[in-house]
Short mmCIF file of all heavy atoms in Angstrom, two decimals:
data_model
loop_
_atom_site.label_atom_id
_atom_site.label_comp_id
_atom_site.label_asym_id
_atom_site.label_seq_id
_atom_site.Cartn_x
_atom_site.Cartn_y
_atom_site.Cartn_z
N MET A 1 -2.74 -13.21 -21.93
CA MET A 1 -3.02 -13.49 -20.60
C MET A 1 -4.35 -14.37 -20.44
O MET A 1 -5.23 -14.21 -21.23
CB MET A 1 -3.30 -12.21 -19.70
CG MET A 1 -1.97 -11.54 -19.38
SD MET A 1 -2.34 -10.25 -18.17
CE MET A 1 -1.14 -10.65 -16.96
N ASP A 2 -4.22 -15.22 -19.55
CA ASP A 2 -5.36 -16.13 -19.21
C ASP A 2 -6.31 -15.47 -18.28
O ASP A 2 -6.06 -14.49 -17.66
CB ASP A 2 -4.85 -17.39 -18.66
CG ASP A 2 -5.77 -18.50 -18.72
OD1 ASP A 2 -6.75 -18.45 -19.53
OD2 ASP A 2 -5.63 -19.53 -17.90
N LYS A 3 -7.52 -16.01 -18.14
CA LYS A 3 -8.53 -15.45 -17.27
C LYS A 3 -8.08 -15.58 -15.83
O LYS A 3 -8.33 -14.70 -15.07
CB LYS A 3 -9.81 -16.19 -17.51
CG LYS A 3 -11.00 -15.60 -16.76
CD LYS A 3 -12.31 -16.37 -17.12
CE LYS A 3 -13.37 -15.78 -16.32
NZ LYS A 3 -14.68 -16.42 -16.58
N LYS A 4 -7.28 -16.68 -15.44
CA LYS A 4 -6.84 -16.81 -14.09
C LYS A 4 -5.86 -15.74 -13.76
O LYS A 4 -5.85 -15.20 -12.61
CB LYS A 4 -6.10 -18.20 -13.94
CG LYS A 4 -7.06 -19.34 -13.97
CD LYS A 4 -6.31 -20.63 -13.66
CE LYS A 4 -7.22 -21.80 -13.61
NZ LYS A 4 -6.43 -22.99 -13.47
N ASN A 5 -4.98 -15.35 -14.73
CA ASN A 5 -4.02 -14.25 -14.46
C ASN A 5 -4.77 -12.94 -14.16
O ASN A 5 -4.41 -12.20 -13.16
CB ASN A 5 -3.14 -14.02 -15.62
CG ASN A 5 -2.31 -15.20 -16.04
OD1 ASN A 5 -2.83 -16.11 -16.55
ND2 ASN A 5 -1.09 -15.15 -15.60
N ILE A 6 -5.74 -12.64 -14.87
CA ILE A 6 -6.52 -11.40 -14.64
C ILE A 6 -7.21 -11.42 -13.31
O ILE A 6 -7.27 -10.37 -12.62
CB ILE A 6 -7.47 -11.19 -15.82
CG1 ILE A 6 -6.69 -10.92 -17.11
CG2 ILE A 6 -8.42 -9.95 -15.47
CD1 ILE A 6 -7.46 -10.92 -18.35
N ILE A 7 -7.78 -12.56 -12.95
CA ILE A 7 -8.47 -12.70 -11.72
C ILE A 7 -7.44 -12.53 -10.46
O ILE A 7 -7.76 -11.88 -9.50
CB ILE A 7 -9.19 -14.03 -11.61
CG1 ILE A 7 -10.43 -14.00 -12.54
CG2 ILE A 7 -9.68 -14.32 -10.16
CD1 ILE A 7 -11.10 -15.34 -12.74
N LEU A 8 -6.26 -13.14 -10.68
CA LEU A 8 -5.23 -13.07 -9.60
C LEU A 8 -4.73 -11.61 -9.46
O LEU A 8 -4.50 -11.10 -8.31
CB LEU A 8 -4.07 -13.94 -9.87
CG LEU A 8 -4.35 -15.43 -9.51
CD1 LEU A 8 -3.19 -16.22 -10.09
CD2 LEU A 8 -4.47 -15.63 -8.02
N ILE A 9 -4.56 -10.93 -10.55
CA ILE A 9 -4.12 -9.53 -10.43
C ILE A 9 -5.19 -8.63 -9.87
O ILE A 9 -4.91 -7.75 -9.06
CB ILE A 9 -3.63 -9.07 -11.83
CG1 ILE A 9 -2.37 -9.79 -12.34
CG2 ILE A 9 -3.40 -7.51 -11.80
CD1 ILE A 9 -1.96 -9.47 -13.65
N ALA A 10 -6.44 -8.89 -10.19
CA ALA A 10 -7.57 -8.14 -9.63
C ALA A 10 -7.66 -8.40 -8.13
O ALA A 10 -7.93 -7.44 -7.37
CB ALA A 10 -8.88 -8.44 -10.41
N LEU A 11 -7.41 -9.64 -7.78
CA LEU A 11 -7.51 -9.92 -6.30
C LEU A 11 -6.33 -9.23 -5.52
O LEU A 11 -6.53 -8.73 -4.44
CB LEU A 11 -7.36 -11.50 -6.13
CG LEU A 11 -7.30 -11.98 -4.71
CD1 LEU A 11 -8.57 -11.77 -4.02
CD2 LEU A 11 -6.90 -13.42 -4.67
N GLY A 12 -5.20 -9.17 -6.25
CA GLY A 12 -4.09 -8.43 -5.69
C GLY A 12 -4.32 -6.95 -5.51
O GLY A 12 -4.05 -6.45 -4.37
N VAL A 13 -4.96 -6.37 -6.47
CA VAL A 13 -5.38 -4.97 -6.37
C VAL A 13 -6.45 -4.75 -5.28
O VAL A 13 -6.31 -3.79 -4.46
CB VAL A 13 -5.85 -4.40 -7.70
CG1 VAL A 13 -6.47 -3.07 -7.58
CG2 VAL A 13 -4.71 -4.38 -8.77
N LEU A 14 -7.35 -5.73 -5.14
CA LEU A 14 -8.38 -5.65 -4.12
C LEU A 14 -7.67 -5.75 -2.67
O LEU A 14 -8.03 -4.99 -1.81
CB LEU A 14 -9.45 -6.71 -4.30
CG LEU A 14 -10.50 -6.77 -3.30
CD1 LEU A 14 -11.38 -5.46 -3.38
CD2 LEU A 14 -11.38 -7.96 -3.40
N LEU A 15 -6.72 -6.63 -2.59
CA LEU A 15 -5.94 -6.73 -1.35
C LEU A 15 -5.18 -5.49 -1.02
O LEU A 15 -5.09 -5.10 0.17
CB LEU A 15 -5.04 -7.96 -1.37
CG LEU A 15 -5.66 -9.32 -1.22
CD1 LEU A 15 -4.63 -10.41 -1.39
CD2 LEU A 15 -6.28 -9.45 0.18
N LEU A 16 -4.62 -4.87 -2.03
CA LEU A 16 -3.89 -3.60 -1.88
C LEU A 16 -4.90 -2.52 -1.34
O LEU A 16 -4.51 -1.78 -0.37
CB LEU A 16 -3.22 -3.02 -3.04
CG LEU A 16 -1.99 -3.86 -3.57
CD1 LEU A 16 -1.56 -3.28 -4.95
CD2 LEU A 16 -0.97 -3.71 -2.57
N ILE A 17 -6.03 -2.42 -1.92
CA ILE A 17 -7.05 -1.43 -1.40
C ILE A 17 -7.44 -1.69 0.02
O ILE A 17 -7.46 -0.81 0.81
CB ILE A 17 -8.25 -1.46 -2.40
CG1 ILE A 17 -7.85 -0.83 -3.83
CG2 ILE A 17 -9.36 -0.55 -1.81
CD1 ILE A 17 -8.82 -1.03 -4.85
N ILE A 18 -7.68 -2.99 0.30
CA ILE A 18 -8.09 -3.30 1.66
C ILE A 18 -6.94 -3.10 2.64
O ILE A 18 -7.13 -2.51 3.76
CB ILE A 18 -8.47 -4.82 1.74
CG1 ILE A 18 -9.86 -5.01 0.97
CG2 ILE A 18 -8.68 -5.27 3.18
CD1 ILE A 18 -10.23 -6.48 0.79
N GLY A 19 -5.74 -3.40 2.33
CA GLY A 19 -4.58 -3.12 3.15
C GLY A 19 -4.44 -1.67 3.41
O GLY A 19 -4.09 -1.34 4.54
N PHE A 20 -4.52 -0.86 2.39
CA PHE A 20 -4.33 0.61 2.63
C PHE A 20 -5.37 1.20 3.47
O PHE A 20 -5.22 2.14 4.24
CB PHE A 20 -4.12 1.39 1.34
CG PHE A 20 -2.73 1.25 0.79
CD1 PHE A 20 -2.46 0.60 -0.40
CD2 PHE A 20 -1.61 1.84 1.40
CE1 PHE A 20 -1.09 0.50 -0.90
CE2 PHE A 20 -0.37 1.68 0.95
CZ PHE A 20 -0.17 1.05 -0.16
N ILE A 21 -6.66 0.72 3.31
CA ILE A 21 -7.78 1.20 4.09
C ILE A 21 -7.54 0.80 5.65
O ILE A 21 -7.73 1.58 6.43
CB ILE A 21 -9.12 0.63 3.59
CG1 ILE A 21 -9.42 1.30 2.25
CG2 ILE A 21 -10.27 0.71 4.66
CD1 ILE A 21 -10.68 0.69 1.56
N CYS A 22 -7.06 -0.50 5.86
CA CYS A 22 -6.80 -0.89 7.10
C CYS A 22 -5.67 -0.09 7.71
O CYS A 22 -5.65 0.24 8.92
CB CYS A 22 -6.37 -2.38 7.20
SG CYS A 22 -7.72 -3.47 6.91
N LEU A 23 -4.63 0.28 6.93
CA LEU A 23 -3.56 1.11 7.43
C LEU A 23 -3.97 2.48 7.78
O LEU A 23 -3.40 3.12 8.72
CB LEU A 23 -2.48 1.12 6.29
CG LEU A 23 -1.07 1.66 6.67
CD1 LEU A 23 -0.45 0.73 7.60
CD2 LEU A 23 -0.32 1.78 5.41
N ALA A 24 -5.01 2.99 7.18
CA ALA A 24 -5.43 4.35 7.43
C ALA A 24 -6.36 4.52 8.58
O ALA A 24 -6.77 5.58 9.02
CB ALA A 24 -6.03 4.96 6.13
N THR A 25 -6.97 3.41 9.08
CA THR A 25 -7.97 3.49 9.98
C THR A 25 -7.42 3.59 11.47
O THR A 25 -6.44 3.06 11.78
CB THR A 25 -8.96 2.21 10.03
OG1 THR A 25 -8.16 1.11 10.26
CG2 THR A 25 -9.67 2.21 8.70
N GLY A 26 -8.14 4.38 12.34
CA GLY A 26 -7.88 4.30 13.71
C GLY A 26 -6.58 5.07 14.14
O GLY A 26 -5.96 5.67 13.24
N PRO A 27 -6.34 5.07 15.39
CA PRO A 27 -5.13 5.72 15.88
C PRO A 27 -3.88 5.03 15.47
O PRO A 27 -3.90 3.91 14.95
CB PRO A 27 -5.30 5.74 17.42
CG PRO A 27 -6.21 4.62 17.67
CD PRO A 27 -7.16 4.51 16.44
N ALA A 28 -2.67 5.55 15.81
CA ALA A 28 -1.44 5.01 15.38
C ALA A 28 -1.18 3.76 16.15
O ALA A 28 -0.41 2.96 15.58
CB ALA A 28 -0.28 6.03 15.56
N ASP A 29 -1.68 3.58 17.26
CA ASP A 29 -1.35 2.37 18.05
C ASP A 29 -2.46 1.25 17.88
O ASP A 29 -2.50 0.35 18.64
CB ASP A 29 -1.23 2.63 19.59
CG ASP A 29 -2.43 3.31 20.15
OD1 ASP A 29 -3.36 3.69 19.42
OD2 ASP A 29 -2.57 3.34 21.43
N ASN A 30 -3.23 1.35 16.81
CA ASN A 30 -4.33 0.32 16.51
C ASN A 30 -3.64 -0.87 16.01
O ASN A 30 -2.80 -0.89 15.10
CB ASN A 30 -5.25 0.93 15.46
CG ASN A 30 -6.44 0.07 15.16
OD1 ASN A 30 -6.67 -0.83 15.84
ND2 ASN A 30 -7.29 0.46 14.17
N PRO A 31 -3.97 -2.04 16.65
CA PRO A 31 -3.36 -3.38 16.18
C PRO A 31 -3.66 -3.72 14.68
O PRO A 31 -2.82 -4.32 14.06
CB PRO A 31 -3.96 -4.38 17.07
CG PRO A 31 -4.76 -3.76 18.01
CD PRO A 31 -4.90 -2.23 17.75
N VAL A 32 -4.83 -3.17 14.17
CA VAL A 32 -5.12 -3.44 12.79
C VAL A 32 -4.13 -2.76 11.83
O VAL A 32 -3.66 -3.30 10.93
CB VAL A 32 -6.65 -3.14 12.47
CG1 VAL A 32 -6.85 -3.28 10.99
CG2 VAL A 32 -7.47 -3.96 13.21
N SER A 33 -3.89 -1.50 12.22
CA SER A 33 -2.99 -0.75 11.32
C SER A 33 -1.48 -1.07 11.56
O SER A 33 -0.72 -0.83 10.70
CB SER A 33 -3.20 0.77 11.54
OG SER A 33 -2.80 1.15 12.85
N LEU A 34 -1.22 -1.76 12.66
CA LEU A 34 0.22 -2.08 12.93
C LEU A 34 0.55 -3.46 12.48
O LEU A 34 1.73 -3.70 12.17
CB LEU A 34 0.52 -2.02 14.45
CG LEU A 34 0.56 -0.53 15.01
CD1 LEU A 34 0.82 -0.59 16.50
CD2 LEU A 34 1.72 0.23 14.35
N THR A 35 -0.37 -4.39 12.52
CA THR A 35 0.02 -5.78 12.14
C THR A 35 -0.78 -6.36 10.95
O THR A 35 -0.13 -6.90 10.05
CB THR A 35 -0.24 -6.72 13.36
OG1 THR A 35 -1.55 -6.64 13.72
CG2 THR A 35 0.65 -6.39 14.52
N VAL A 36 -2.02 -6.21 10.95
CA VAL A 36 -2.88 -6.81 9.90
C VAL A 36 -2.62 -6.18 8.51
O VAL A 36 -2.42 -6.81 7.53
CB VAL A 36 -4.35 -6.74 10.24
CG1 VAL A 36 -5.20 -7.29 9.18
CG2 VAL A 36 -4.59 -7.49 11.51
N ALA A 37 -2.68 -4.87 8.55
CA ALA A 37 -2.45 -4.11 7.24
C ALA A 37 -1.13 -4.33 6.52
O ALA A 37 -1.06 -4.67 5.36
CB ALA A 37 -2.64 -2.55 7.51
N PRO A 38 -0.02 -4.36 7.27
CA PRO A 38 1.30 -4.70 6.68
C PRO A 38 1.34 -6.16 6.14
O PRO A 38 1.90 -6.40 5.05
CB PRO A 38 2.32 -4.51 7.73
CG PRO A 38 1.71 -3.50 8.60
CD PRO A 38 0.30 -3.78 8.62
N LEU A 39 0.69 -7.09 6.82
CA LEU A 39 0.68 -8.40 6.35
C LEU A 39 -0.09 -8.54 5.05
O LEU A 39 0.29 -9.20 4.15
CB LEU A 39 0.11 -9.39 7.40
CG LEU A 39 0.96 -9.60 8.66
CD1 LEU A 39 0.20 -10.43 9.69
CD2 LEU A 39 2.25 -10.27 8.26
N ILE A 40 -1.24 -7.89 4.94
CA ILE A 40 -2.08 -7.87 3.83
C ILE A 40 -1.29 -7.29 2.65
O ILE A 40 -1.27 -7.80 1.50
CB ILE A 40 -3.42 -7.21 3.98
CG1 ILE A 40 -4.24 -7.95 4.99
CG2 ILE A 40 -4.08 -6.98 2.69
CD1 ILE A 40 -5.52 -7.30 5.45
N LEU A 41 -0.64 -6.16 2.91
CA LEU A 41 0.07 -5.43 1.85
C LEU A 41 1.33 -6.31 1.35
O LEU A 41 1.58 -6.34 0.12
CB LEU A 41 0.53 -4.08 2.26
CG LEU A 41 -0.55 -3.06 2.53
CD1 LEU A 41 0.00 -1.88 3.20
CD2 LEU A 41 -1.11 -2.71 1.25
N VAL A 42 2.06 -6.93 2.24
CA VAL A 42 3.21 -7.78 1.85
C VAL A 42 2.69 -8.89 0.99
O VAL A 42 3.27 -9.34 0.00
CB VAL A 42 3.96 -8.24 3.06
CG1 VAL A 42 4.87 -9.36 2.73
CG2 VAL A 42 4.73 -6.98 3.61
N ALA A 43 1.50 -9.55 1.40
CA ALA A 43 0.95 -10.72 0.72
C ALA A 43 0.59 -10.26 -0.69
O ALA A 43 0.86 -10.99 -1.68
CB ALA A 43 -0.13 -11.30 1.47
N ALA A 44 0.00 -9.10 -0.80
CA ALA A 44 -0.48 -8.64 -2.11
C ALA A 44 0.77 -8.32 -2.98
O ALA A 44 0.78 -8.63 -4.21
CB ALA A 44 -1.34 -7.43 -2.01
N TYR A 45 1.73 -7.53 -2.45
CA TYR A 45 2.88 -7.18 -3.26
C TYR A 45 3.85 -8.28 -3.65
O TYR A 45 4.40 -8.30 -4.68
CB TYR A 45 3.67 -6.03 -2.58
CG TYR A 45 3.11 -4.67 -2.77
CD1 TYR A 45 2.76 -3.87 -1.67
CD2 TYR A 45 2.93 -4.14 -4.01
CE1 TYR A 45 2.16 -2.65 -1.76
CE2 TYR A 45 2.43 -2.81 -4.21
CZ TYR A 45 2.08 -2.03 -2.99
OH TYR A 45 1.60 -0.88 -3.16
N LEU A 46 3.98 -9.22 -2.63
CA LEU A 46 5.08 -10.24 -2.94
C LEU A 46 4.58 -11.54 -3.34
O LEU A 46 5.35 -12.42 -3.76
CB LEU A 46 5.91 -10.35 -1.61
CG LEU A 46 6.68 -9.09 -1.22
CD1 LEU A 46 7.44 -9.40 0.08
CD2 LEU A 46 7.50 -8.62 -2.27
N VAL A 47 3.28 -11.81 -3.21
CA VAL A 47 2.70 -13.13 -3.55
C VAL A 47 1.66 -13.15 -4.66
O VAL A 47 1.80 -13.68 -5.70
CB VAL A 47 2.18 -13.85 -2.34
CG1 VAL A 47 1.60 -15.22 -2.63
CG2 VAL A 47 3.18 -13.99 -1.15
N VAL A 48 0.63 -12.37 -4.44
CA VAL A 48 -0.56 -12.53 -5.26
C VAL A 48 -0.28 -11.88 -6.53
O VAL A 48 -0.54 -12.50 -7.72
CB VAL A 48 -1.77 -11.94 -4.56
CG1 VAL A 48 -3.04 -11.97 -5.53
CG2 VAL A 48 -2.15 -12.61 -3.29
N ILE A 49 0.19 -10.64 -6.63
CA ILE A 49 0.40 -9.94 -7.93
C ILE A 49 1.49 -10.67 -8.75
O ILE A 49 1.30 -10.83 -9.94
CB ILE A 49 0.62 -8.41 -7.70
CG1 ILE A 49 -0.57 -7.85 -7.17
CG2 ILE A 49 1.11 -7.80 -8.98
CD1 ILE A 49 -0.57 -6.38 -6.87
N PRO A 50 2.68 -10.98 -8.22
CA PRO A 50 3.61 -11.67 -8.95
C PRO A 50 3.23 -13.06 -9.45
O PRO A 50 3.46 -13.42 -10.62
CB PRO A 50 4.83 -11.96 -8.02
CG PRO A 50 4.74 -10.76 -7.01
CD PRO A 50 3.22 -10.63 -6.83
N VAL A 51 2.40 -13.75 -8.69
CA VAL A 51 1.91 -15.00 -9.25
C VAL A 51 0.93 -14.76 -10.30
O VAL A 51 0.81 -15.49 -11.28
CB VAL A 51 1.17 -15.85 -8.03
CG1 VAL A 51 0.32 -16.96 -8.57
CG2 VAL A 51 2.18 -16.40 -7.03
N GLY A 52 0.15 -13.75 -10.23
CA GLY A 52 -0.77 -13.37 -11.30
C GLY A 52 -0.05 -13.03 -12.57
O GLY A 52 -0.52 -13.25 -13.67
N ILE A 53 1.15 -12.39 -12.49
CA ILE A 53 1.87 -11.98 -13.62
C ILE A 53 2.54 -13.19 -14.22
O ILE A 53 2.67 -13.33 -15.42
CB ILE A 53 2.82 -10.91 -13.25
CG1 ILE A 53 2.07 -9.60 -12.90
CG2 ILE A 53 3.88 -10.59 -14.43
CD1 ILE A 53 2.94 -8.48 -12.39
N LEU A 54 3.23 -14.05 -13.41
CA LEU A 54 4.02 -15.05 -13.86
C LEU A 54 3.41 -16.45 -14.12
O LEU A 54 4.03 -17.35 -14.62
CB LEU A 54 5.21 -15.33 -12.75
CG LEU A 54 6.16 -14.09 -12.63
CD1 LEU A 54 7.09 -14.33 -11.45
CD2 LEU A 54 6.86 -13.71 -13.90
N TRP A 55 2.15 -16.59 -13.77
CA TRP A 55 1.45 -17.84 -13.84
C TRP A 55 1.23 -18.22 -15.25
O TRP A 55 0.78 -17.45 -16.12
CB TRP A 55 0.14 -17.75 -13.18
CG TRP A 55 -0.64 -19.08 -13.20
CD1 TRP A 55 -1.50 -19.51 -14.17
CD2 TRP A 55 -0.63 -20.07 -12.24
NE1 TRP A 55 -1.97 -20.72 -13.82
CE2 TRP A 55 -1.44 -21.16 -12.61
CE3 TRP A 55 0.11 -20.30 -11.05
CZ2 TRP A 55 -1.71 -22.29 -11.89
CZ3 TRP A 55 -0.06 -21.36 -10.29
CH2 TRP A 55 -0.98 -22.40 -10.79
N LYS A 56 1.64 -19.44 -15.59
CA LYS A 56 1.54 -19.98 -16.98
C LYS A 56 0.60 -21.15 -16.80
O LYS A 56 0.89 -22.10 -16.03
CB LYS A 56 2.75 -20.43 -17.58
CG LYS A 56 3.72 -19.31 -17.99
CD LYS A 56 4.91 -19.80 -18.75
CE LYS A 56 5.78 -18.69 -19.12
NZ LYS A 56 6.95 -19.19 -19.91
N GLY A 57 -0.51 -21.23 -17.60
CA GLY A 57 -1.44 -22.35 -17.56
C GLY A 57 -0.82 -23.46 -18.33
O GLY A 57 0.20 -23.50 -18.82
N LYS A 58 -1.68 -24.51 -18.47
CA LYS A 58 -1.22 -25.66 -19.31
C LYS A 58 -1.20 -25.22 -20.76
O LYS A 58 -1.96 -24.38 -21.23
CB LYS A 58 -2.28 -26.71 -19.06
CG LYS A 58 -2.34 -27.33 -17.72
CD LYS A 58 -3.35 -28.39 -17.61
CE LYS A 58 -3.41 -28.99 -16.19
NZ LYS A 58 -4.43 -29.98 -16.02
N ASN A 59 -0.27 -25.84 -21.43
CA ASN A 59 -0.15 -25.52 -22.90
C ASN A 59 -1.35 -26.11 -23.60
O ASN A 59 -1.62 -27.34 -23.57
CB ASN A 59 1.16 -26.08 -23.44
CG ASN A 59 2.37 -25.28 -22.97
OD1 ASN A 59 2.15 -24.15 -22.68
ND2 ASN A 59 3.56 -25.95 -23.04
N GLN A 60 -2.01 -25.38 -24.35
CA GLN A 60 -3.23 -25.82 -25.07
C GLN A 60 -2.85 -26.07 -26.54
O GLN A 60 -3.64 -26.32 -27.37
CB GLN A 60 -4.38 -24.75 -24.99
CG GLN A 60 -4.79 -24.70 -23.54
CD GLN A 60 -5.99 -23.64 -23.41
OE1 GLN A 60 -6.40 -23.02 -24.37
NE2 GLN A 60 -6.40 -23.45 -22.18
N ASP A 61 -1.61 -25.95 -26.97
CA ASP A 61 -1.16 -26.16 -28.29
C ASP A 61 -0.98 -27.56 -28.70
O ASP A 61 -0.91 -28.00 -29.80
CB ASP A 61 0.13 -25.38 -28.51
CG ASP A 61 0.02 -23.85 -28.47
OD1 ASP A 61 -1.12 -23.39 -28.63
OD2 ASP A 61 1.01 -23.24 -28.28
N LYS A 62 -0.98 -28.49 -27.65
CA LYS A 62 -0.69 -29.84 -27.89
C LYS A 62 -1.78 -30.56 -28.53
O LYS A 62 -2.87 -30.40 -28.43
CB LYS A 62 -0.27 -30.52 -26.53
CG LYS A 62 1.07 -30.07 -26.08
CD LYS A 62 1.40 -30.89 -24.79
CE LYS A 62 2.77 -30.36 -24.26
NZ LYS A 62 3.09 -31.03 -23.06
#
């Protein structure tokens, strides 16, 4: 794994933590827990972490 992959996966984990904290705050009708937290979690699960896993850098063997 490249350094960029590790940074992207760490960013994804950080977004997951922030998303779950936002989800747990306030009452059930809080706009942060109803809209912002799910968007952060979806972005982390479906974009950031998979890109961190699948990203291939430039070939340095050439």
Side-chain angles (χ1 to χ4, degrees):
M1 280 191 133
D2 194 21
K3 188 176 180 181
K4 286 184 181 180
N5 297 78
I6 295 171
I7 291 172
L8 281 172
I9 293 172
L11 178 66
V13 170
L14 181 67
L15 282 175
L16 288 176
I17 292 169
I18 291 170
F20 280 115
I21 288 172
C22 289
L23 194 63
T25 59
D29 60 348
N30 188 3
V32 173
S33 65
L34 288 177
T35 57
V36 176
L39 290 174
I40 292 172
L41 291 172
V42 166
Y45 277 123
L46 297 180
V47 178
V48 179
I49 292 176
V51 168
I53 293 171
L54 297 174
W55 183 269
K56 289 185 179 181
K58 295 179 181 178
N59 288 337
Q60 296 179 2
D61 296 339
K62 291 182 179 180

